[in-house]
Amino acid sequence: MTKSDNVIVVKGLKKSYGQNEVLKGVNFTVKRGSMLALLGPNGAGKTTTVRILSTLLAYDSGSVQVEDYDAHQEADKVRRVIGLTGQSAAVDELLTGRENLVMMGQLYRLTKNSAAARAQELLEEFDLVDAADRPAKTYSGGMRRRLDLAVSLIASPPIIFLDEPTTGLDPRSRIAMWDIIKSLMAGGTTILLTTQYLEEADQLADQIVVIDGGKVIAEGTAKELKSKVGKDRLELLFKAEKHYTAACELLSKAIVDSNDKEHSLTLIINDTNKDVKDVLEKLSDKNIPVESIVVHKPTLDDVFLSLTGKQTQTAKVEEQ
Amino acid sequence: MAVELVFQKRPKPIQAMLDAFIMIKRSSRHILRNTDQLLGTFFQPIMFLVLFAAVFGGAISKALPEGVSYLNFLMAGIIVQTVAFGSTTTAIAVCNDLQKGIIDRFRSLPMNNLAVLSGHVISDVFRNGISTIVMLLTGLLIGFRSHASVTDWLIIAGILLLFTLAFSWLAAIMGVLAKSVEGVQWMSFVIVFPLTFASSAFVPTEDMNSVLRAFAENQPITQIVEAVRALILGNPIGDYGWLAAAWCIGILIVAVPLASWLFRRQSSR
Ligand SMILES: Nc1ncnc2c1ncn2[C@@H]1O[C@H](COP(=O)(O)OP(=O)(O)OP(=O)(O)O)[C@@H](O)[C@H]1O
Ligand SMILES: [Mg+2]
């Protein structure tokens, strides 16, 4: 039997906790060797989805296939081909990093020698050699996350689930984690990653699925999603109040946002080159000098905002 | 990737046993590395033994049969009590695994998940064995003497092994049901304390009031204490031997599947 090209196929997935319907019919497919990012705010159902895919949780209805095996009925077979890095680090605190790796390797059915050699290799790759023989409870948050990821790679499974792998990491550690993830992708691993960071999805993923409230609300490549929100925006800044007011009157129809204090206003433009030129010409015809102009391309944050009506965490932080 | 990965494929039952071995190693490492708990393993039984012998010895020895010293009487009780209280360790270990994310890791692996429970239970047997030996040695130092033959000691070891297994599996159930480590401690206190004190572990049951006595004489701890005590003192064991074994095996028959079922259910939420 040749393996199908779709490694993960989720159809009409539903899951409730009591009265609380957490997944309301989720669909997506992950192609072999690609990365799909599941993007969504707190409580969207990302972890629930990952737990179901990694056999930890039974689902109510729909179908969930990993390598053509049912994630619930054939959990044993699925477990042989997946690695899971959960949202909270799942390492044994009293064991050393090396002991954690070797133990999990053996539980994956690796021979002892093979597990030990692979453990050494991963410790080197993840920059944990110095801490290898210390109990994991003495590790920093970033080290623990790295160990956690290393543990899920011990048997080099062809499919990896990463549930918010960079949440809580400092920018340096985050970039280091991205590098690790990129090298996994280069090695042909199929990856499903969840994240609240649009930048992360933008940087890493081949395909993005945006979920909110247990439903897929958008899907596509980063580029496709951005183009869905579409239009570029033109921001104009004026030095004097009277010029600002005059410009407001002149361009009133196209203005989508304005700021009286900063004397700035924002227009939606369809054809960037032509529209910018037109606007500037109009203003110079009326002798209104412009202090500065900026063209904003839509970011994934905009996508997110326009899809969910909520702001993302990154956007909130940037605003402050 | 430089390292070539070698997987092995064995029949399922053998695989399950190997998983249990790996988990026993893990739990034993936990016990050895948890220094506070380790100190407890050594000093708590010594403290109880010495304190009980000194405090109750004078008063209770009058109620004992001719020629039986309180220390010799107490030894069986204090060993059983230590094992009963010590089973809390299993409960805490199980509870900890479930509360922390580690259980998700184990469950995502192609392993036999019940090995997590048997690992804790069996490493607890080792720990209890060490506690018991420490107590016996301390006892010898302060005047404990026994008439038991080598065969008697082997039977004692067998009964205590069954008892430890039975109580650790019961503790595993507590560990699964409790929502926190504090909860475990509470539960075990409320269950184990009355069981050990309303028994013949520390005092003969003859002088208890009738209700208490009826309870004390028919509950498992007393059967086990009496069986071990008879062997230690060189008395005939009577019905106590098979009663003790029956209780332990009965508990195991109920507790092992129940703990496993609860564990599976709890961990798949
Ligand atoms: N064990 C549970 N019992 C009851 N409700 C739960 C349980 N686990 C999750 N939920 C609920 O399901 C919803 C989705 O949770 P989930 O953990 O999947 O979100 P998430 O997208 O991973 O969020 P976050 O970004 O915060 O990790 C939430 O409303 C949560 O309260
Ligand atoms: Mg989550």
Side-chain angles (χ1 to χ4, degrees):
Chain A
M1 190 181 79
T2 53
K3 287 181 182 174
S4 72
D5 204 31
N6 293 331
V7 179
I8 298 172
V9 182
V10 176
K11 280 189 198 144
L13 173 60
K14 288 190 181 174
K15 169 78 190 173
S16 303
Y17 288 108
Q19 295 292 310
N20 184 9
E21 195 174 22
V22 172
L23 298 178
K24 303 168 184 162
V26 170
N27 302 290
F28 60 83
T29 307
V30 189
K31 291 240 178 320
R32 189 171 303 284
S34 77
M35 178 195 277
L36 179 136
L38 212 51
L39 181 66
N42 290 127
K46 303 183 294 295
T47 300
T48 306
T49 308
V50 167
R51 285 175 61 85
I52 289 171
L53 278 164
S54 53
T55 77
L56 300 182
L57 200 63
Y59 53 92
D60 298 339
S61 65
S63 86
V64 179
Q65 305 248 300
V66 178
E67 286 286 19
D68 295 332
Y69 301 125
D70 181 284
H72 188 60
Q73 305 300 330
E74 299 169 289
D76 262 5
K77 287 176 179 144
V78 171
R79 286 172 187 167
R80 271 181 232 148
V81 293
I82 61 166
L84 167 68
T85 304
Q87 189 163 2
S88 53
V91 295
D92 191 318
E93 308 250 301
L94 288 170
L95 301 190
T96 68
R98 190 189 304 278
E99 286 167 350
N100 264 293
L101 287 162
V102 173
M103 175 175 77
M104 302 300 178
Q106 287 183 293
L107 292 173
Y108 261 116
R109 312 303 186 211
L110 284 176
T111 62
K112 195 164 184 190
N113 287 340
S114 188
R118 175 75 174 138
Q120 180 61 31
E121 185 179 60
L122 285 165
L123 288 165
E124 283 163 18
E125 202 174 311
F126 286 63
D127 195 18
L128 288 168
V129 177
D130 292 338
D133 298 308
R134 261 175 25 208
K137 69 173 172 199
T138 66
Y139 285 20
S140 72
M143 290 162 80
R144 215 172 286 208
R145 289 248 96 186
R146 290 209 298 279
L147 176 62
D148 198 36
L149 179 53
V151 166
S152 37
L153 301 180
I154 187 81
S156 302
I159 304 164
I160 294 279
F161 297 109
L162 300 167
D163 195 1
E164 300 195 22
T166 64
T167 301
L169 297 187
D170 66 25
R172 214 186 103 250
S173 310
R174 170 169 307 160
I175 289 169
M177 186 61 89
W178 285 356
D179 286 342
I180 291 170
I181 294 172
K182 280 176 187 161
S183 76
L184 274 177
M185 291 167 68
T189 308
T190 305
I191 301 176
L192 187 142
L193 168 139
T194 79
T195 181
Q196 301 179 27
Y197 303 113
L198 302 149
E199 191 196 355
E200 189 159 288
D202 200 1
Q203 281 268 333
L204 299 171
D206 301 307
Q207 206 199 349
I208 298 172
V209 167
V210 185
I211 68 170
D212 189 36
K215 273 200 261 210
V216 174
I217 53 170
E219 177 166 22
T221 61
K223 212 169 154 196
E224 284 165 1
L225 288 181
K226 284 180 196 169
S227 72
K228 254 185 211 168
V229 179
K231 322 267 161 74
D232 292 2
R233 285 171 306 143
L234 174 67
E235 191 183 337
L236 300 164
L237 197 70
F238 302 90
K239 202 160 195 175
E241 176 138 20
K242 63 170 186 195
H243 294 142
Y244 166 72
T245 337
C248 282
E249 269 166 36
L250 181 68
L251 303 168
S252 62
K253 266 189 230 147
I255 294 174
V256 291
D257 192 19
S258 60
N259 187 324
D260 294 347
K261 238 190 253 157
E262 289 176 5
H263 304 163
S264 74
L265 46 87
T266 305
L267 320 169
I268 295 281
I269 46 181
N270 293 311
D271 180 340
T272 308
N273 284 333
K274 181 176 166 291
D275 289 358
V276 171
K277 204 171 122 240
D278 286 355
V279 168
L280 291 181
E281 270 171 9
K282 257 192 211 165
L283 289 166
S284 81
D285 283 351
K286 302 273 175 196
N287 280 326
I288 306 173
V290 182
E291 173 83 1
S292 73
I293 62 166
V294 186
V295 176
H296 291 286
K297 299 263 173 202
T299 65
L300 273 175
D301 283 290
D302 300 324
V303 176
F304 205 72
L305 190 54
S306 77
L307 288 173
T308 66
K310 281 180 266 186
Q311 274 186 322
T312 61
Q313 291 195 338
T314 26
K316 265 184 225 156
V317 172
E318 273 162 17
E319 243 172 40
Q320 282 160 8
Chain B
M1 186 179 46
V3 177
E4 203 198 322
L5 298 180
V6 187
F7 291 88
Q8 44 199 182
K9 231 182 136 44
R10 293 201 193 82
K12 254 201 167 152
I14 296 187
Q15 208 65 263
M17 261 171 55
L18 288 178
D19 287 341
F21 270 122
I22 296 170
M23 287 295 117
I24 292 169
K25 198 165 152 193
R26 161 177 186 254
S27 308
S28 306
R29 277 176 168 152
H30 284 188
I31 290 175
L32 290 175
R33 286 183 196 167
N34 196 337
T35 18
D36 298 344
Q37 214 177 59
L38 199 61
L39 282 179
T41 302
F42 284 103
F43 290 114
Q44 197 199 6
I46 296 178
M47 194 189 74
F48 269 118
L49 183 64
V50 174
L51 266 180
F52 273 73
V55 174
F56 295 139
I60 295 171
S61 55
K62 293 179 199 99
L64 298 179
E66 276 289 310
V68 176
S69 81
Y70 184 59
L71 185 60
N72 286 355
F73 174 88
L74 175 67
M75 192 51 95
I78 211 99
I79 290 175
V80 168
Q81 184 234 22
T82 304
V83 169
F85 272 97
S87 63
T88 317
T89 323
T90 301
I92 292 176
V94 170
C95 182
N96 257 328
D97 276 356
L98 283 170
Q99 300 298 321
K100 301 203 174 129
I102 188 96
I103 194 64
D104 283 353
R105 167 118 280 151
F106 288 132
R107 291 187 57 241
S108 73
L109 297 179
M111 69 177 288
N112 181 329
N113 297 139
L114 295 179
V116 177
L117 285 186
S118 41
H120 288 314
V121 168
I122 292 169
S123 65
D124 216 24
V125 171
F126 295 147
R127 201 182 49 83
N128 277 319
I130 295 170
S131 285
T132 305
I133 290 167
V134 169
M135 265 184 297
L136 287 171
L137 292 177
T138 314
L140 285 174
L141 278 180
I142 59 172
F144 165 70
R145 295 295 177 265
S146 164
H147 300 285
S149 66
V150 173
T151 327
D152 290 342
W153 279 114
L154 287 177
I155 300 174
I156 293 175
I159 294 175
L160 288 177
L161 177 68
L162 268 181
F163 174 59
T164 309
L165 281 174
F167 256 64
S168 291
W169 277 105
L170 278 183
I173 295 178
M174 277 196 272
V176 177
L177 292 180
K179 299 274 180 295
S180 68
V181 171
E182 288 76 24
V184 171
Q185 267 150 350
W186 218 84
M187 263 165 126
S188 98
F189 186 77
V190 168
I191 294 169
V192 178
F193 204 76
L195 271 183
T196 50
F197 279 83
S199 79
S200 68
F202 309 115
V203 292
T205 51
E206 283 87 44
D207 298 330
M208 297 177 179
N209 75 46
S210 58
V211 176
L212 188 60
R213 186 172 170 183
F215 172 75
E217 287 182 353
N218 291 296
Q219 59 117 323
I221 297 271
T222 298
Q223 319 302 334
I224 291 147
V225 169
E226 288 303 325
V228 174
R229 180 173 289 149
L231 290 165
I232 286 182
L233 297 177
N235 294 338
I237 188 166
D239 286 339
Y240 290 123
W242 72 261
L243 276 174
W247 267 108
C248 293
I249 292 170
I251 291 175
L252 283 170
I253 288 175
V254 178
V256 175
L258 184 60
S260 309
W261 179 75
L262 285 170
F263 182 74
R264 283 224 161 100
R265 197 193 60 157
Q266 191 73 18
S267 56
S268 58
R269 283 209 187 160

